[in-house]
Amino acid sequence: MALVQQVEDGKLIQSASQASLGKANKSNDGMDKDAFLQLLVAQMQYQDPLEPTSNTEYISQYAQFSQVEQLQNMAGSMDLLRASSLVGQEVYVKTTSATGDVSYVRGKVDYVVFENGKAYVAIDEALYALEDVDTVADSAYIAAYDKALEFNVRMNKLPNIHAVDMTNAKEIDELEEIYNNMTDYEKGFVAKEVVDKLKKYVEKLKEVRAAAGEYDDEETPDVGDGEDEGNENVGGVEGGEDTGDDNQGEEAGSGEATE
């Protein structure tokens, strides 16, 4: 696999994966079992021949070395076990570049690499240190979040409600259908303000269609008539507020008959 690195203004740009791996390598610079063993060997090599270190002290230091080795191996095994449990999961990886810029990478963990006592997760063939995994998300959550995000983006692209005409009919119909076909779980990701906004667009489109003669007299919908019964689809959209003059019919019938 070829190594590719971005270049901007004549400078190499560090990728999120490289930033994560660089951070992991720095964390390996601390005292580990190999460094402890090197110190022990150096002490034996350069000890004072007139006052040599006692055997008891060597045994004590070797016992400490064994403890360090066991703790390091245990920590590595725990990291590998934790990383293996993430295979197939959707995760967010938080990385910090050399310039201090924080970025997030989202994706599914394809496999795990264990090297030099460190565990790394692979996302789209790029490795990231296990310690940089910030969030683990359920696939259903990710799908619902993405669906709601796309829905909100499309809603924000609609024109001002007073400028709605027949050219917007297809988009509004599709948005209404998308929302009505969402599960209750997916609808929970859409803000109530967005739902109310969709209902207003649906009602406005009914007025535009009626004015354009798209409905026959018998099929022309009563825009805004009737009481809002709460959590029903649009028209109506669940959770929306009724924008029509609901009380017109009641006011018209509440007066006394004139002789």
Side-chain angles (χ1 to χ4, degrees), residues 16-17 19-21 23-24 79-80 82-96 103-113 118-123 126-137:
S17 176
S20 179
L21 295 179
K23 178 182 175 183
D79 284 347
L80 179 59
R82 178 188 168 204
S84 299
S85 67
L86 296 177
V87 175
Q89 298 290 323
E90 292 280 347
V91 300
Y92 286 87
V93 177
K94 179 181 179 180
T95 62
T96 305
S103 61
Y104 286 87
V105 176
R106 195 193 86 185
K108 185 179 71 172
V109 177
D110 299 315
Y111 57 90
V112 171
V113 174
K118 299 284 292 185
Y120 303 89
V121 295
I123 301 174
L127 294 179
Y128 301 89
L130 176 63
E131 61 195 49
D132 286 338
V133 175
D134 181 81
T135 305
V136 182

Side-chain angles (χ1 to χ4, degrees), residues 176-177 179-182 184 187 195 199 202-203 206 228 230-240:
E176 180 186 6
E177 182 179 4
Y179 182 82
N180 288 340
N181 289 334
M182 285 183 180
D184 291 340
K187 289 179 179 179
V195 179
K199 184 169 185 179
V202 171
E203 296 298 323
K206 289 179 181 179
D228 187 4
N231 297 331
E232 294 184 357
N233 290 339
V234 189
V237 170
E238 185 174 320

Side-chain angles (χ1 to χ4, degrees), residues 32-152:
D32 57 6
K33 63 180 182 180
D34 295 328
F36 191 94
L37 182 59
Q38 290 175 3
L39 288 175
L40 182 59
V41 172
Q43 181 182 1
M44 295 175 62
Q45 184 178 359
Y46 297 105
Q47 64 180 324
D48 187 351
L50 299 178
E51 295 181 2
T53 305
S54 66
N55 292 336
T56 303
E57 188 173 351
Y58 276 129
I59 293 175
S60 176
Q61 291 176 344
Y62 182 76
Q64 292 176 1
F65 166 76
S66 299
Q67 290 178 351
V68 171
E69 183 179 27
Q70 291 176 2
L71 289 174
Q72 187 175 355
N73 291 339
M74 184 181 298
S77 299
M78 293 297 294
D79 284 347
L80 179 59
L81 181 62
R82 178 188 168 204
S84 299
S85 67
L86 296 177
V87 175
Q89 298 290 323
E90 292 280 347
V91 300
Y92 286 87
V93 177
K94 179 181 179 180
T95 62
T96 305
S97 67
T99 58
D101 296 328
V102 177
S103 61
Y104 286 87
V105 176
R106 195 193 86 185
K108 185 179 71 172
V109 177
D110 299 315
Y111 57 90
V112 171
V113 174
F114 190 73
E115 188 175 279
N116 297 327
K118 299 284 292 185
Y120 303 89
V121 295
I123 301 174
D124 295 331
E125 295 301 321
L127 294 179
Y128 301 89
L130 176 63
E131 61 195 49
D132 286 338
V133 175
D134 181 81
T135 305
V136 182
D138 181 71
S139 57
Y141 172 90
I142 294 293
Y145 177 87
D146 288 342
K147 190 172 185 178
L149 179 62
E150 181 183 1
F151 181 83
N152 288 340

Side-chain angles (χ1 to χ4, degrees), residues 121-231:
V121 295
I123 301 174
D124 295 331
E125 295 301 321
L127 294 179
Y128 301 89
L130 176 63
E131 61 195 49
D132 286 338
V133 175
D134 181 81
T135 305
V136 182
D138 181 71
S139 57
Y141 172 90
I142 294 293
Y145 177 87
D146 288 342
K147 190 172 185 178
L149 179 62
E150 181 183 1
F151 181 83
N152 288 340
V153 170
R154 291 179 64 176
M155 283 292 301
N156 290 333
K157 290 182 179 180
L158 291 175
N160 184 285
I161 193 168
H162 300 294
V164 169
D165 55 29
M166 291 302 298
T167 61
N168 310 120
K170 180 180 178 181
E171 180 69 3
I172 295 175
D173 286 341
E174 288 182 359
L175 288 170
E176 180 186 6
E177 182 179 4
I178 289 173
Y179 182 82
N180 288 340
N181 289 334
M182 285 183 180
T183 64
D184 291 340
Y185 179 72
E186 292 172 336
K187 289 179 179 179
F189 288 79
V190 182
K192 183 178 183 299
E193 293 77 10
V194 178
V195 179
D196 293 342
K197 182 179 179 181
L198 174 61
K199 184 169 185 179
K200 292 177 181 179
Y201 275 98
V202 171
E203 296 298 323
K204 180 64 176 179
L205 182 59
K206 289 179 181 179
E207 295 178 0
V208 172
R209 280 174 166 157
E214 187 170 305
Y215 298 112
D216 294 333
D217 291 340
E218 297 179 356
E219 296 178 348
T220 301
D222 296 329
V223 178
D225 289 344
E227 297 181 357
D228 187 4
E229 297 183 359
N231 297 331

